Amino acid sequence: EDYWSGKQQEIEKKVRLQIKQDYQNDVRKQEQRRQRIKEGMTSEIDLQFDLKEELANVQYVSPGLPHDSPEQAIDEQLARIETDLYQATDRMDLETSQQKDDLISQMHIDDCASVLQANSAFYMAFSQKNYETMHNLWLHDRSVTCIH
């Protein structure tokens, strides 16, 4: 009995030590990441390493919007406005920068309103048990999930 009790204590001690080492390694890695972020990534190797780490966490990539959809047109318009904003900022054209920033903010507000409208229409159809309307409103994509 003393032998097994001693073995159990030995194993528990090893497990506690391993947990402590793992924790210390995690803390050290987090501190290194914070330091790199604070200093700014200084090499292409840092950028590749972080990209690989992030890509390892990706579980699914949506196929994206259809090229002829209104949403895709809005995305393209937003990309053009953002490019104009960055270029105006680089030129120190603050008036244009402010106009582009205001336009992006308005587009964001419009986008949020569209989501709220779609949500409202979906739950109206849900409360009326209108499957066809629900089906038409729902985005048929693996990235969309509803959990209640």
Side-chain angles (χ1 to χ4, degrees), residues 105-123:
S105 294
Q106 185 59 52
M107 290 178 77
H108 176 74
I109 291 169
D110 293 346
D111 187 49
C112 291
S114 295
V115 170
L116 290 173
Q117 271 185 322
N119 247 2
S120 179
F122 181 84
Y123 282 104

Side-chain angles (χ1 to χ4, degrees), residues 11-27:
I11 291 170
E12 288 174 355
K13 183 178 178 180
K14 286 181 181 179
V15 168
R16 281 193 301 274
L17 181 61
Q18 186 63 51
I19 290 171
K20 182 179 179 182
Q21 288 173 343
D22 289 348
Y23 174 76
Q24 289 171 339
N25 284 338
D26 287 345
V27 168

Side-chain angles (χ1 to χ4, degrees), residues 4-128:
W4 291 115
S5 177
K7 281 291 184 190
Q8 182 178 359
Q9 289 175 354
E10 182 182 323
I11 291 170
E12 288 174 355
K13 183 178 178 180
K14 286 181 181 179
V15 168
R16 281 193 301 274
L17 181 61
Q18 186 63 51
I19 290 171
K20 182 179 179 182
Q21 288 173 343
D22 289 348
Y23 174 76
Q24 289 171 339
N25 284 338
D26 287 345
V27 168
R28 185 176 39 77
K29 286 179 185 178
Q30 290 299 325
E31 185 54 40
Q32 288 172 344
R33 285 183 186 140
R34 274 190 222 102
Q35 192 61 35
R36 277 202 325 261
I37 290 168
K38 205 175 186 182
E39 294 171 356
M41 297 198 177
T42 56
S43 73
E44 187 65 28
I45 293 170
D46 285 337
L47 292 171
Q48 290 173 0
F49 177 79
D50 287 343
L51 177 60
K52 286 179 184 177
E53 187 176 317
E54 289 302 317
L55 287 175
N57 294 323
V58 174
Q59 295 178 9
Y60 173 74
V61 176
S62 173
L65 297 167
H67 293 291
D68 58 348
S69 71
E71 294 85 1
Q72 180 64 30
I74 292 170
D75 268 2
E76 290 170 2
Q77 179 186 11
L78 180 60
R80 284 190 301 273
I81 295 168
E82 286 176 335
T83 299
D84 292 346
L85 169 67
Y86 298 137
Q87 290 172 349
T89 303
D90 287 343
R91 291 190 314 267
M92 297 301 289
D93 181 353
L94 302 181
E95 185 177 337
T96 301
S97 293
Q98 185 62 54
Q99 290 171 350
K100 299 301 178 182
D101 188 54
D102 291 345
L103 186 54
I104 290 170
S105 294
Q106 185 59 52
M107 290 178 77
H108 176 74
I109 291 169
D110 293 346
D111 187 49
C112 291
S114 295
V115 170
L116 290 173
Q117 271 185 322
N119 247 2
S120 179
F122 181 84
Y123 282 104
M124 177 72 73
F126 182 82
S127 68
Q128 295 170 351

